[in-house]
Amino acid sequence: MKNLVTRQVNAVSPAELARRWHAVRARMLEAEIDALVVQNSSDWVGGYVRWFSNHPATNGYPTSIVFPASGGMSMIEQGPFGHLVEFDKLAAQTSGISRKLTTPSYPSVGYTGSYDADLAAAELRRFGAKRVGLVAPSAMYHSFGASLKSKLDDIDVVDATDIVDRIKAIKSDEEQGLIRQVASMQDEVMARVRDFIRPGLRDFEVAAYAQYVGQQLGSEQGIFLCSGAPWGEAATFRPRSMQGRKLQEGDVYSLLVENNGAGGYYTEISRIFTLGAAPDELREAHAQVLQAQEYGLSLIRPGVLCSEIYEPHNAYLRLNGIAEERRLSIHGMGYDMVERPLIRQDETMAIEENMLIVCHPGIHNERMFIHNTDVYLIGPGGPSECLHKTPKEVFEIG
């Protein structure tokens, strides 16, 4: 384990990890919680495991952590029955993990669903935990969570997600520096796509090139949603399975780059390309979207409840003939593509300094899909300058 940090592509420093553990443990003490349990299976919207340990959960396999009020963590992953590795103090400093336990469980094999819970329950009893907090139980496989609760029927089990979320949402100086690097990486991806895209390529070839460039620049995971269409037909963000159309002269092409990079952080950027001159109607609609983005950002100030921003922004959209937001167009990012706070009526958080916010209002109908996505850090007076330096414009190719 001595080479853990040097082998990892995107690790945060031991000091940053220690800052997080200290902050969480202070809140655990207040709430009289003896240990936390975390499980993730995807780093796209399952960044808690990485936030605690520098170790991403990926590819659907469950990774579980038992985080005690003091001492090293226990990590549970897929592997041989009964396998246990105990790590030295150096490893514990760089990942926080003192013990790694494995069991051959798979979400595709239903009868193994309780195996990880067996190990987690045993670790909690080894720690002598009397009150246990679950972090992001919605990210846990049902069989894990249900089995764990049944095995802890004599222990008080509570939801501790909010405790962690309120710490995770505030980015430290180190985190902010890493996030700026990720935004810069995505700017380079967009710049190279501008030189690469051309008629004759299929949608997925452009997306694959964007992914290739990102990974060459140090990215690990992410999504690249795109499509091209003739003007008058919406070119929406489509998944890889729907990216088979061949680009033609005169097309409009939408690309969303939402990959991670330095430190494992996600930012996202989207832009529109036209293979030829951009129609005036497209440019006018894009200008409307930029104005909506600017207005939404103007509402975001430290101390303001997110729920109090949601309706004024929707009122602005309605007033300007844009469909109001019924899903999510302004939200937090970091270790997850979507993380709290959400600018929505059901969010209980307020805006605070040093949050990372993405803003992407849009116009979407049968004829057009107009968007512009960028990220901002929150300063004392509101959002910073845009972290992305890619111009906020429609890019004409050819």
Side-chain angles (χ1 to χ4, degrees):
M1 292 296 293
K2 289 184 178 180
N3 292 327
L4 178 66
V5 171
T6 55
R7 283 185 179 274
Q8 282 188 287
V9 176
N10 292 307
V12 298
S13 70
E16 171 59 26
L17 285 179
R19 179 195 69 82
R20 300 171 187 174
W21 303 333
H22 177 77
V24 170
R25 283 175 169 141
R27 294 295 308 280
M28 289 171 66
L29 181 63
E30 293 172 2
E32 298 181 334
I33 294 174
D34 302 309
L36 302 177
V37 178
V38 188
Q39 186 186 78
N40 290 148
S41 56
S42 164
D43 68 338
W44 294 3
V45 284
Y48 291 91
V49 163
R50 186 167 196 159
W51 188 83
F52 274 98
S53 70
N54 254 338
H55 184 96
T58 60
N59 302 320
Y61 287 108
T63 298
S64 307
I65 281 178
V66 178
F67 180 82
S70 63
M73 290 180 273
S74 299
M75 176 174 280
I76 301 163
E77 288 192 312
Q78 185 275 139
F81 281 119
H83 185 63
L84 169 65
V85 178
E86 299 200 52
F87 299 125
D88 59 24
K89 289 184 178 180
L90 176 63
Q93 288 176 348
T94 56
S95 70
I97 301 165
S98 292
R99 289 160 59 90
K100 181 178 178 181
L101 305 93
T102 67
T103 187
S105 69
Y106 308 94
S108 56
V109 182
Y111 66 78
T112 67
S114 65
Y115 292 3
D116 299 80
D118 292 340
L119 296 180
E123 288 300 284
L124 288 165
R125 295 195 182 279
R126 185 176 69 85
F127 289 129
K130 301 301 181 185
R131 193 166 198 241
V132 173
L134 303 183
V135 177
S138 60
M140 298 175 177
Y141 283 118
H142 173 76
S143 54
F144 173 82
S147 181
L148 183 63
K149 279 196 170 184
S150 71
K151 296 175 190 303
L152 303 178
D153 57 357
D154 59 333
I155 292 176
D156 187 20
V157 179
V158 299
D159 190 328
T161 310
D162 196 61
I163 288 175
V164 175
D165 281 354
R166 291 179 184 275
I167 299 167
K168 185 168 172 273
I170 310 299
K171 313 309 182 192
S172 69
D173 288 345
E174 178 177 330
E175 290 178 303
Q176 291 181 45
L178 295 167
I179 287 164
R180 291 179 186 278
Q181 291 180 47
V182 180
S184 179
M185 174 269 292
Q186 292 181 345
D187 283 333
E188 182 63 20
V189 170
M190 278 293 181
R192 296 197 200 179
V193 165
R194 287 172 62 184
D195 292 335
F196 178 78
I197 188 171
R198 60 189 182 275
L201 295 175
R202 296 189 184 275
D203 291 343
F204 71 77
E205 291 181 275
V206 182
Y209 179 73
Q211 183 177 21
Y212 165 78
V213 172
Q215 295 205 350
Q216 286 290 310
L217 295 173
S219 178
E220 299 170 59
Q221 302 286 333
I223 57 175
F224 299 79
L225 305 182
C226 67
S227 75
W231 174 244
E233 178 184 325
T236 59
F237 296 145
R238 291 184 167 92
R240 176 64 177 79
S241 60
M242 299 294 291
Q243 294 176 5
R245 181 181 177 276
K246 188 175 290 188
L247 291 168
Q248 302 173 25
E249 189 68 38
D251 274 354
V252 177
Y253 181 81
S254 293
L255 176 63
L256 171 69
V257 173
E258 197 166 5
N259 59 348
N260 66 358
Y265 292 94
Y266 283 94
T267 64
E268 61 176 310
I269 183 172
S270 75
R271 292 294 187 268
I272 297 170
F273 302 81
T274 60
L275 303 185
D280 289 341
E281 187 181 359
L282 187 159
R283 290 195 174 280
E284 291 166 5
H286 187 254
Q288 276 189 290
V289 166
L290 293 183
Q291 290 165 6
Q293 184 187 64
E294 184 176 350
Y295 182 78
L297 291 168
S298 75
L299 301 173
I300 298 174
R301 300 182 307 279
V304 179
L305 287 171
C306 295
S307 58
E308 294 178 355
I309 299 172
Y310 177 70
E311 178 50 34
H313 190 229
N314 266 347
Y316 173 91
L317 297 177
R318 290 192 299 268
L319 182 65
N320 287 274
I322 302 174
E324 66 179 39
E325 181 55 60
R326 306 301 298 170
R327 187 188 71 96
L328 187 65
S329 64
I330 309 175
H331 58 86
M333 289 194 84
Y335 275 109
D336 305 274
M337 293 181 182
V338 175
E339 67 179 40
R340 297 178 70 193
L342 312 183
I343 302 301
R344 221 165 55 176
Q345 79 283 359
D346 52 354
E347 177 60 80
T348 60
M349 280 188 182
I351 296 295
E352 295 186 49
E353 274 189 68
N354 303 321
M355 286 178 167
L356 177 67
I357 297 292
V358 59
C359 186
H360 50 72
I363 296 173
H364 187 187
N365 55 44
E366 290 183 358
R367 296 192 62 253
M368 66 179 79
F369 177 57
I370 311 299
H371 53 88
N372 192 93
T373 304
D374 290 297
V375 293
Y376 302 80
L377 286 163
I378 304 304
S384 65
E385 290 186 2
C386 183
L387 299 190
H388 288 114
K389 305 307 178 188
T390 301
K392 298 185 182 195
E393 61 185 61
V394 176
F395 295 114
E396 294 180 334
I397 306 300

